[in-house]
Amino acid sequence: MTDDELRQRLERFLASRLPEAESLAVTRLERSTEGFSQETFSFEVELARGGRRETRGYVAKREPEAGLLEPYDLEPEFRVLHALSDDPLPSPPTPWFERDPAVLARPFYVMERLPGEVPIPAARPDGSGPFDEGERRSLGPEVARALARLHAVSLARPDLGFLERPEPGRAAALREVARWSERVARSRLPVPPVLAEALAWLRRHAPATDEITLVHGDYRLGNFLVIREGGEAHLSGILDWEMVHLGDPLEDVGWCTSLLWRAGTPYASALLPTEEFAKLYSEASGRSVDPERLRYYELLAVVKMAAIMLTGIRAFRDGRTRDLRMAIFDHQLPFLLAGVAALRGWLPGA
Amino acid sequence: MLIPPEELLDGAVATLLEAVLPALGTRFARSQLYAVVDVLRNLRDRVEPRCAGLAAEAASAEAALRRAAEALRPTAPAAAESLSRALDALPTAPIAARLEALGPALVAAFETLESLPPAAAEAAVLARSALAGHLAAQALRDLAPLKPSLLAEISRG
């Protein structure tokens, strides 16, 4: 599908969802290069209604032909985002979901574009992290507090009732280990022994929790929208909810503080030392952060990313994607396996 | 590495032709891209894994499994025998096949350790340490040839 055809199809779709618009045009359509999973299109809609003209920014997320989190189902993510559209949490208001392949060939949803930019989650050319000191100091606490807010979303609300709720106890952790074990198996690639041992360890040591909350599942540096001004940085959006589920809230904390997102710094998500991040989260949530349980979820985070990479490598080997970024996971995986070895205490420096 | 070199090169060529070429706007860029494709196609059948590295890796894994078996022999002789039998059943050649078979043998060894009775706990710790020592060293050896990542540039586009 060419960009022009995509634009025309989006216009027809939006006209059906905004019947009060007297005229409507999609402009500034761009495909994002940042995501590794769903296809992302950013665009503006110029519309006239009630005799007035206005321009609105939107982002469409479409199911990819092959990707890191297959098999795909965008609907749960859409339903959560739609439910949270009026929540103070800075998640993008998300009005529309469409499954009909006649519209854009594959299912997609449309959300409002929030202000801010996604920081490149990597060290700068001079080796420093992606944020200056003032930016880290202003953004870090906001990120910790927003996570606490996310975990405080009421699960009693009926629009979130479709999410499967694990029983209190070890079920939440065990379900995640099973989910990622299954993805490793589904890749049909030789399982690196380090990864196999780590999965077995995670099964044996699954921690118990009495608290089940909404879990974002991918709460980390590359999924934050940030506004930088006056030497500070502020959180304006939380994106990419495709791994959202109910579970142990410390799973999100461990993902965010894991070695995956440090971007050349010693800090959780390149923002704050892990202990400080955990303390801020703890103060905001009223929930203690047990270091041992956090360590467990930091290991699960690396294992989970390894499973995601194996899925990408499989898609590439099967010829289901021509995205060479999937192939370079073959060169990233050894770093993860060394990370697993470090977290298991076999190598120094985790 | 989980993608054989020839598959990696075939995939790179396909990406260049199917995804990159249509986006190129000048004749010079297109001619350079075809030249890269020509290079990659001719490189494809000349690339082989370095056998010396494979042999050393296989020897390290085998030694770790033997040390684990020896650690288990006094208190868990059946488990030790199971590890030894797995080693004996490995293909001796080619070296790539031997190395590939050693991976599942290591995984099976960890599973064996999981099933040991408490009386063999001390031996299991020693055996686990032997296996972990090999895997940690292997993890570092796997990192050594990798070039600095261009992920930041890939993300920026």
Side-chain angles (χ1 to χ4, degrees):
Chain A
M1 190 183 305
T2 65
D3 282 2
D4 200 44
E5 192 182 351
L6 178 64
R7 185 182 53 73
Q8 289 174 25
R9 287 181 179 221
L10 275 171
E11 282 177 351
R12 284 197 293 273
F13 170 76
L14 291 164
S16 73
R17 299 302 172 108
L18 295 166
E20 73 281 14
E22 291 137 16
S23 70
L24 179 152
V26 167
T27 60
R28 304 181 71 158
L29 174 65
E30 277 185 29
R31 291 173 194 242
S32 167
T33 58
E34 285 151 6
F36 275 74
S37 186
Q38 296 167 356
E39 294 176 64
T40 304
F41 307 98
S42 162
F43 56 95
E44 289 187 351
V45 178
E46 292 175 2
L47 71 163
R49 53 181 167 186
R52 291 193 323 158
R53 304 192 70 79
E54 59 182 303
T55 302
R56 290 179 168 200
Y58 288 100
V59 172
K61 305 277 275 184
R62 183 170 71 161
E63 187 179 301
E65 283 183 283
L68 302 180
L69 297 171
E70 54 193 22
Y72 280 87
D73 181 6
L74 268 60
E75 193 165 351
E77 174 185 0
F78 164 74
R79 289 173 73 175
V80 170
L81 281 168
H82 189 66
L84 296 178
S85 291
D86 58 357
D87 192 276
L89 197 68
S91 63
T94 305
W96 304 305
F97 173 72
E98 181 57 65
R99 191 180 282 284
D100 182 357
V103 182
L104 284 190
R106 293 186 292 283
F108 68 98
Y109 65 81
V110 179
M111 55 192 182
E112 292 179 19
R113 193 169 65 210
L114 295 174
E117 292 193 347
V118 177
I120 297 292
R124 293 169 178 168
D126 66 1
S128 64
F131 300 111
D132 296 330
E133 181 71 6
E135 293 175 336
R136 285 197 312 106
R137 286 286 154 206
S138 47
L139 181 60
E142 288 184 18
V143 165
R145 286 186 208 113
L147 185 57
R149 167 67 209 144
L150 191 157
H151 292 157
V153 167
S154 169
L155 301 184
R157 45 188 304 169
D159 44 9
L160 294 179
F162 73 96
L163 291 166
E164 193 186 331
R165 186 173 188 146
E167 294 296 318
R170 298 173 72 223
L174 284 172
R175 190 179 65 176
E176 288 310 300
V177 176
R179 190 197 305 275
W180 297 103
S181 298
E182 200 254 330
R183 295 212 179 215
V184 168
R186 202 189 296 155
S187 77
R188 293 177 283 112
L189 291 165
V191 183
V194 173
L195 185 58
E197 197 279 343
L199 280 165
W201 187 91
L202 288 166
R203 260 189 297 275
R204 280 201 312 280
H205 294 87
T209 180
D210 292 333
E211 266 192 304
I212 299 297
T213 69
L214 193 65
V215 172
H216 180 281
D218 198 7
Y219 194 83
R220 46 103 180 174
L221 179 58
N223 286 334
F224 302 143
L225 268 174
V226 170
I227 295 174
R228 290 169 140 137
E229 55 187 5
E232 295 191 343
H234 298 283
L235 183 68
S236 59
I238 301 167
L239 306 175
D240 285 0
W241 292 65
E242 53 193 299
M243 293 198 272
V244 68
H245 58 278
L246 302 186
D248 186 337
L250 285 204
E251 186 194 331
D252 269 339
V253 182
W255 181 252
C256 192
T257 61
S258 78
L259 55 83
L260 298 169
W261 321 115
R262 294 184 183 167
T265 74
Y267 306 132
S269 276
L271 290 168
L272 295 172
T274 292
E275 300 72 24
E276 192 177 342
F277 184 90
K279 182 167 175 283
L280 285 164
Y281 170 81
S282 187
E283 285 166 4
S285 65
R287 180 178 293 121
S288 66
V289 177
D290 172 38
E292 203 171 314
R293 212 163 109 216
L294 184 61
R295 194 98 172 143
Y296 175 91
Y297 282 112
E298 286 182 340
L299 176 61
L300 177 63
V302 184
V303 166
K304 179 172 154 179
M305 181 51 76
I308 289 170
M309 287 190 176
L310 290 173
T311 306
I313 291 170
R314 169 48 62 198
F316 180 82
R317 290 199 61 178
D318 287 349
R320 286 181 291 111
T321 175
R322 288 289 172 233
D323 187 344
L324 269 180
R325 296 178 305 171
M326 305 286 177
I328 66 169
F329 288 146
D330 207 18
H331 308 139
Q332 299 292 317
L333 195 58
F335 289 97
L336 292 193
L337 299 180
V340 170
L343 287 163
R344 290 286 295 110
W346 302 349
L347 283 174
Chain B
M1 295 288 109
L2 296 168
I3 307 178
E6 63 276 12
E7 273 186 39
L8 190 58
L9 292 171
D10 286 346
V13 165
T15 301
L16 289 172
L17 293 176
E18 294 169 22
V20 181
L21 184 63
L24 293 183
T26 69
R27 289 176 60 196
F28 178 74
R30 282 194 293 276
S31 78
Q32 291 296 303
L33 181 132
Y34 277 119
V36 173
V37 167
D38 196 270
V39 167
L40 295 178
R41 278 181 175 162
N42 283 290
L43 193 61
R44 180 191 190 282
D45 296 325
R46 293 164 55 196
V47 177
E48 284 179 10
R50 291 182 185 168
C51 283
L54 299 185
E57 207 54 69
S60 170
E62 188 180 329
L65 281 164
R66 292 206 188 284
R67 281 199 302 278
E70 287 316 306
L72 293 175
R73 204 166 300 284
T75 48
E81 191 53 34
S82 158
L83 265 59
S84 297
R85 271 200 310 274
L87 272 169
D88 294 341
L90 293 173
T92 51
I95 192 65
R98 184 170 179 80
L99 185 58
E100 194 176 324
L102 275 159
L106 287 162
V107 174
F110 277 117
E111 285 167 3
T112 300
L113 298 183
E114 293 307 317
S115 62
L116 291 178
E122 205 171 312
V125 168
L126 287 173
R128 184 178 291 279
S129 168
L131 300 176
H134 158 70
L135 292 176
Q138 183 196 32
L140 292 179
R141 285 193 293 271
D142 285 348
L143 289 182
L146 295 175
K147 306 292 180 288
S149 170
L150 294 175
L151 264 181
E153 287 75 8
I154 291 166
S155 296
R156 282 188 197 101

